[in-house]
Every structure is written in C-alpha cells, then in structure tokens.
C-alpha cells in the first residue's frame, strides 16, 4: 500500500469513527415540517421526489397543489394515472394571480386548498403531505400564515411529514420548520429566451 492510499484510508477511518459516535445521539423520530423555498429551480421537483420515496416505501401520501391550477404537469398525470391508490392528488387554484385577474377567486381557491390540506394531514392513513406552491398563496395573504403555523405546530399528527414549497417562504414558517432548504438561482435558460421545457419544468 502506497503512502497516499494509507493516509486516505486512515482519514476515512477517523471520519467513520466520528460519524458512528455522532449517529449514536440521533435517536428521535418525528414527522417533519419541511420548507423548500428560494428563487432557484427544483423546489417542487424535490417535493415530488419525496412523494416517489413514500410510494416506494408503501407510505400513503397526498399532494395538494396550489396556484398551478389546471396545468398539464407530468407529476399530476403520472401520479393520477399510475399511483392513484398510493397518492391522493388535489388541485386547488386556476393559475398564477396574473392569469386569473381575480383576487377573490384566487383567495377562495387557496382557502379551499388549505381546507383539503388540513383534512389530508389529519387523516391517520396519510403519512406524508406535499403542499406544492403554498408559499405563493401565503405570500399574497390568501391564507393566514399564523393559522398555518399554529396548525402545523399543534394539530399535525406527530409522525406525519409535511413539505411546503414555493418562493418567498414567510419568516414565521421558516422559524416553525424542522428543515428548510433555499434553492439558489445561479443560471436559468429563461433569461436567454428559452421557454419552459416539457419534462424539466412541467
């Protein structure tokens, strides 16, 4: 064994020993409140990745999709056509507010989505709920942030996971969450005039 390999092996041995010690302290299990926010792409995609994991682990799950409305998204088609028994999929909203041009209608749709979301989170059969683009509805005050945070902290069943996606997550939600990821925008083809691509954006 040469010197470089020996040094590498010793370094890996030390890292593994330290990690094994650290893992001994990680014993708690709980349903997580997770937030995916930021200007970068991938917030919803990451949420739907967890939906796929839940299905693989036979964990019943649900999606409540805010704002996007009747977009023909690949994830909606895929889940409704192939995994309807494993994952409930609800759509609440008719598109972004600049498309509907009707704030009262947007508020009513968001409020209905939140009602559905609470029902799914409280359902003892459901173990994971994805609230896709709810942060947009919260940003425009279509749904009361204090009500959402209070529900998640005090009424969500202990072992139920909830993931909330969308730009501009409110500070109250970030404070309440167990895990927050901010997607950072570094480069995007939209800036170069490239439109949303099927299979990538939707």
């Amino acid at each position: 064994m040469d010197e470089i390999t020996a040094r590498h092996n010793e370094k890996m041995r030390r890292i593994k020993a330290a990690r094994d010690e650290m893992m001994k302290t990680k014993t708690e299990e709980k349903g997580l409140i997770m937030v995916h926010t930021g200007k970068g792409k991938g917030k919803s995609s990451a949420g739907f990745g967890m939906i796929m994991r839940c299905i693989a682990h036979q964990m019943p799950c649900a999606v409540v999709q805010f704002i996007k409305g009747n977009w023909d998204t690949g994830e909606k088609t895929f889940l409704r056509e192939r995994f309807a028994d494993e994952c409930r999929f609800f759509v609440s909203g008719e598109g972004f507010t600049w498309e509907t041009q009707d704030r009262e209608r947007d508020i009513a749709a968001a409020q209905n989505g939140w009602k559905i979301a609470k029902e799914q989170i409280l359902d003892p059969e459901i173990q994971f709920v994805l609230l896709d683009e709810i942060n947009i509805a919260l940003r425009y005050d279509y749904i009361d942030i204090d009500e959402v945070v209070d529900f998640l902290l005090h009424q969500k069943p202990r072992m139920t996971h909830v993931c909330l996606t969308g730009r501009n997550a409110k500070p109250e939600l970030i404070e309440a969450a167990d895990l927050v990821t901010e997607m950072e925008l570094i480069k995007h083809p939209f800036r170069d005039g490239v439109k949303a691509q099927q299979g990538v954006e939707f």
Side-chain angles (χ1 to χ4, degrees), residues 51-62:
I51 288 288
M52 296 299 105
R53 288 175 180 167
C54 288
I55 291 172
H57 289 298
Q58 299 181 326
M59 296 169 58
C61 51

Side-chain angles (χ1 to χ4, degrees), residues 102-124:
D102 189 334
R103 187 171 189 274
E104 293 306 312
R105 207 164 76 197
D106 291 340
I107 290 171
Q111 291 284 337
N112 184 57
W114 175 234
K115 176 177 176 290
I116 294 168
K118 289 187 288 186
E119 291 170 352
Q120 298 308 304
I121 293 168
L122 292 173
D123 189 327

Side-chain angles (χ1 to χ4, degrees), residues 187-195:
K187 193 174 184 181
H188 198 293
F190 189 76
R191 292 175 171 176
D192 296 325
V194 180
K195 68 180 184 178

